[in-house]
Amino acid sequence: MEIVFIAITASLIALLFSAYLIRGVLKYESGTGDMVKISEAIREGAMAYLNRQYKTIAIFAIVLTVILSIAINWQTGVSFIVGAVFSAAAGYIGMNISVRTNVRTANAARKGGLKEALPLAFRGGAVTGMAVVGLGLLGVSVLYYFFNDPFLIVGFGFGGSLISLFARIGGGIYTKAADVGADLVGKVEAGIPEDDPRNPAVIADNVGDNVGDCAGMGADLFETYAVTAIGAMLLGAILIGNEIAVLYPIALGAAAIIASIIGIFSVRYTGGDIMRTLYKGAITAGLVSAILFYFITDYMVANSDGFKNFSVLDLYIPTLIGLGITISLIVITEYYTSTKYPPVLGIAKSSNTGAATNIITGLAVGYKSTTLPVLVVVAGILGSYSFAGLYGVAIAAMAMLSVTGIIVALDSFGPITDNAGGIAEMANLDSKTRKVTDALDAVGNTTKAVTKGYAIGSAGLAALALFTAYVYELSSLGVIKVEEFLLTSPSVIGGLLIGGLIPFLFAALTMEAVGVTAHQVVEEVRRQFREIPGIMKGEADPDYARCVDIVTIGALKKMTLPGLLAIVSPLLVGFILGPIALGGLLIGCIISGLLLALTMSNGGGAWDNAKKYIEDGNYGGKGGSAHKAAVVGDTVGDPYKDTAGPAINPLIKAMNTIAIIFAPLFAIVA
């Protein structure tokens, strides 16, 4: 159990470091009175939405806690509610500090330029990252200490998945409905710049950046981290049957926390490429993790009989494979979403002939972008399997997720810098400041895109570990032998087809929700432009609160049905068609969900940056025909990359954790 205490200690260090970063961020000045006023409006809107969202989700959480406690056991019920609370806390902490860092970043850009603004924005994002891994590892370690059985803590992952699912859906609907509404009327119809204070939807748009990308991503990677650790622990128990194999994954997580802290401290801007500065932190964390992983593996193999069938290299190389997958996915995603490379440049060029060719090219880029990530994931699975079997695959996934802290820091950097640019625009700061915030925002768009690729790829590996645990649990219950789970079975094929369908239906529901809510925002912005004299001349203030209220109500109403789909579908298939059909459903959902999420995330990111490339003065710049076409493409891509695509991650893992939890009941009716 000493490994458990080491993991608990490391998690507490992560949380203390997060508090240290918060203190450092809040020491910076907030800027002028106008900047503070705008920032407070964004903060109040974001917190009001998150509080209302959590109150809504709490109803589901309480009901499910009771059901799990009665139908399964009280330990699963306790684990579930702890996971839900911790996931909500991760999102809450992340957004709370992000809405305070944005204005300070804008002011740092005004006073100290890139040298001061860049590390501030990054450390603001790092608060979320360290909170995510700290709470994730703490929850898994403490629950395992008390229950001493990884099957009894699966509920912790399900609780995290539930919060993440609704946070991704609700936050995604909010942010993209506001963004689409603001762009269609502001940029396209009125011809005013992005983040122009005359746009009634501008505050809602900035609020959305936080509820979608900060709170949503924080909750998303929290549950991915948690379920990956639990999945690896389950396979350690099932396949090896020794406690040291159960504890090895959390030992890797503890080591990576120290590595991530070192990586965060290494981010210093000394001039040159901004992206390279940020990548320095990620590379440092990866290298230090690789070194620590070797010593941990050597120690655990040398001092235990639990790994008598594996050498040090058999276990260590899968950890390197996991880190290699992380690097590969980041590089590939940047290629497809950065303005430096042909995919985005091709979309920008196609905008010269109108919105139709822009959309066609963007769709093609999204489809093509699935190829290399899938091949990398397949290579990672086969490579890690060759050294340590299915347990090796789970270890590769855990190594990949172990650096979540610094990856989330990169992701949260995006909405912080986006908001900083918006505040600078609305507060009428000088062009020198805007140049700095624009440069940070451009990089932030890329970091948001590359971290989504990482999240999707890691979700695929995590879900595979969970699926494997489900199949072996069915075997232990006498439902089926593992080797009899065949594609020739009609039940498996039927489940595969239903599972492949669910991500498409889920994506349709979430995108439809964005469209309906965005329509309401468009009509409201048009109404205000029409009925409130003086807005366009800057002589009257728009009613920002009305647009905030529209997207808040829309997001909360529309998130319920997609969320229920993730919970109800595995239960219906498991009880009606049987646990074997459910196994097919899970693998079908993993395959189609992985591909669809990659297509949406990368395609949407490419559309976004193609628009930014044109706005930088290429192909006629802002206001030209190419720009208008690019805005349409970006508008189509918005719900792709920030609503439907990211929400598929928790969908996949929620369905797999439900399957594991309810497997004994499915076996009874089989």
Side-chain angles (χ1 to χ4, degrees):
M1 279 289 180
E2 67 178 22
I3 300 298
V4 175
F5 291 113
I6 292 173
I8 292 173
T9 301
S11 65
L12 293 175
I13 290 173
L15 295 174
L16 289 172
F17 184 65
S18 183
Y20 164 79
L21 292 174
I22 291 173
R23 183 180 179 186
V25 168
L26 295 181
K27 284 183 178 179
Y28 284 81
E29 296 178 0
S30 300
T32 66
D34 286 343
M35 294 170 66
V36 173
K37 181 180 177 181
I38 296 164
S39 173
E40 279 299 302
I42 296 171
R43 188 187 69 81
E44 289 174 6
M47 298 310 297
Y49 170 77
L50 197 64
N51 289 335
R52 290 176 66 175
Q53 182 187 56
Y54 282 172
K55 287 178 182 178
T56 304
I57 300 173
I59 298 172
F60 289 94
I62 292 170
V63 172
L64 283 170
T65 300
V66 174
I67 293 173
L68 292 171
S69 298
I70 296 173
I72 308 300
N73 51 63
W74 69 268
Q75 294 96 331
T76 299
V78 170
S79 296
F80 170 80
I81 197 65
V82 172
V85 170
F86 276 30
S87 180
Y92 194 90
I93 291 170
M95 197 178 73
N96 201 14
I97 192 61
S98 293
V99 294
R100 287 173 166 82
T101 308
N102 52 19
V103 68
R104 289 169 170 82
T105 300
N107 191 55
R110 182 172 71 96
K111 288 189 169 184
L114 275 173
K115 187 176 181 180
E116 187 171 324
L118 189 155
L120 173 59
F122 178 75
R123 293 197 175 191
V127 171
T128 309
M130 299 313 296
V132 165
V133 295
L135 289 169
L137 188 60
L138 180 65
V140 170
S141 302
V142 170
L143 287 171
Y144 181 78
Y145 173 78
F146 283 107
F147 298 154
N148 200 33
D149 184 351
F151 282 94
L152 296 178
I153 65 173
V154 175
F156 181 81
F158 180 36
S161 295
L162 180 76
I163 298 297
S164 172
L165 184 66
F166 283 107
R168 272 303 197 188
I169 297 170
I173 295 170
Y174 188 114
T175 183
K176 292 303 105 179
D179 194 6
V180 169
D183 283 354
L184 287 180
V185 186
K187 286 186 177 181
V188 178
E189 295 182 8
I192 59 178
E194 186 172 2
D195 296 318
D196 193 299
R198 293 172 292 178
N199 194 326
V202 69
I203 295 295
D205 187 10
N206 280 278
V207 169
D209 291 333
N210 294 285
V211 300
D213 285 318
C214 292
M217 178 60 106
D220 185 357
L221 281 177
F222 169 88
E223 64 92 15
T224 302
Y225 182 93
V227 299
T228 301
I230 293 169
M233 293 169 76
L234 287 172
L235 291 187
I238 294 169
L239 301 177
I240 301 176
N242 188 284
E243 188 174 51
I244 199 70
V246 176
L247 297 177
Y248 181 51
I250 64 174
L252 297 177
I257 284 176
I258 305 304
S260 295
I261 292 173
I262 295 172
I264 291 167
F265 274 123
S266 72
V267 176
R268 298 281 192 277
Y269 185 69
T270 56
D273 188 68
I274 297 173
M275 200 72 200
R276 185 177 299 176
T277 301
L278 297 177
Y279 280 166
K280 180 183 177 182
I283 292 170
T284 300
L287 290 174
V288 175
S289 293
I291 295 170
L292 293 177
F293 288 171
Y294 177 80
F295 289 106
I296 287 172
T297 306
D298 182 64
Y299 173 81
M300 298 189 77
V301 171
N303 292 276
S304 173
D305 294 330
F307 289 134
K308 59 185 178 181
N309 295 325
F310 299 112
S311 68
V312 173
L313 289 181
D314 286 337
L315 296 174
Y316 177 62
I317 291 179
T319 69
L320 297 182
I321 290 173
L323 294 173
I325 295 173
T326 298
I327 296 170
S328 299
L329 291 179
I330 289 175
V331 171
I332 293 167
T333 308
E334 183 180 3
Y335 172 78
Y336 280 105
T337 59
S338 173
T339 55
K340 300 177 182 177
Y341 303 110
V344 169
L345 297 177
I347 296 173
K349 185 178 180 179
S350 72
S351 303
N352 285 311
T353 49
T357 49
N358 172 284
I359 291 171
I360 291 170
T361 307
L363 287 172
V365 167
Y367 294 146
K368 287 196 296 184
S369 73
T370 62
T371 305
L372 290 176
V374 169
L375 292 177
V376 166
V377 170
V378 170
I381 291 171
L382 296 177
S384 55
Y385 183 89
S386 68
F387 285 95
L390 289 170
Y391 183 69
V393 177
I395 291 304
M398 186 61 203
M400 185 179 178
L401 266 298
S402 66
V403 293
T404 291
I406 199 154
I407 299 297
V408 173
L410 290 173
D411 181 83
S412 297
F413 175 88
I416 289 172
T417 54
D418 191 356
N419 270 197
I423 292 169
E425 177 74 30
M426 288 184 279
N428 295 312
L429 299 186
D430 58 70
S431 59
K432 183 179 179 182
T433 301
R434 285 293 297 161
K435 185 178 180 180
V436 174
T437 58
D438 286 348
L440 291 172
D441 185 24
V443 173
N445 280 330
T446 301
T447 63
K448 286 190 293 183
V450 300
T451 52
K452 285 185 176 69
Y454 163 85
I456 294 166
S458 63
L461 284 178
L464 180 61
L466 293 172
F467 168 75
T468 303
Y470 170 73
V471 173
Y472 275 90
E473 187 175 9
L474 290 184
S475 177
S476 69
L477 294 168
V479 176
I480 190 175
K481 294 182 179 178
V482 174
E483 60 271 17
E484 295 177 350
F485 195 88
L486 303 174
L487 287 176
T488 54
S489 167
S491 294
V492 174
I493 294 174
L496 279 170
L497 290 172
I498 297 173
L501 162 70
I502 287 176
F504 286 89
L505 179 58
F506 179 85
L509 291 172
T510 53
M511 291 188 67
E512 186 179 54
V514 171
V516 171
T517 309
H519 175 78
Q520 296 174 335
V521 176
V522 166
E523 292 298 320
E524 175 61 21
V525 174
R526 286 172 175 171
R527 183 195 68 80
Q528 292 197 35
F529 280 156
R530 185 175 61 250
E531 297 181 5
I532 303 178
I535 285 183
M536 293 304 295
K537 294 181 179 180
E539 298 173 352
D541 292 330
D543 185 359
Y544 300 122
R546 179 57 187 154
C547 288
V548 170
D549 193 53
I550 288 172
V551 290
T552 298
I553 294 171
L556 293 175
K557 289 176 65 177
K558 297 292 184 179
M559 73 179 186
T560 304
L561 184 57
L564 287 175
L565 178 66
I567 297 171
V568 173
S569 55
L571 294 175
L572 289 177
V573 171
F575 284 120
I576 297 174
L577 300 182
I580 296 175
L582 177 57
L585 177 142
L586 296 178
I587 201 67
C589 184
I590 292 171
I591 293 172
S592 74
L594 176 65
L595 294 171
L596 188 59
L598 285 170
T599 297
M600 289 181 158
S601 178
N602 292 337
W607 266 314
D608 188 3
N609 276 337
K611 179 199 68 176
K612 296 287 186 184
Y613 181 77
I614 294 173
E615 288 177 343
D616 287 339
N618 301 288
Y619 300 119
K622 294 181 180 180
S625 59
H627 181 234
K628 291 180 179 180
V631 170
V632 174
D634 177 45
T635 302
V636 174
D638 273 339
Y640 258 47
K641 68 179 174 67
D642 289 326
T643 307
I648 291 173
N649 296 343
L651 166 76
I652 295 171
K653 296 187 291 293
M655 292 174 65
N656 276 270
T657 53
I658 289 172
I660 293 173
I661 290 171
F662 284 90
L665 297 183
F666 299 147
I668 293 173
V669 300

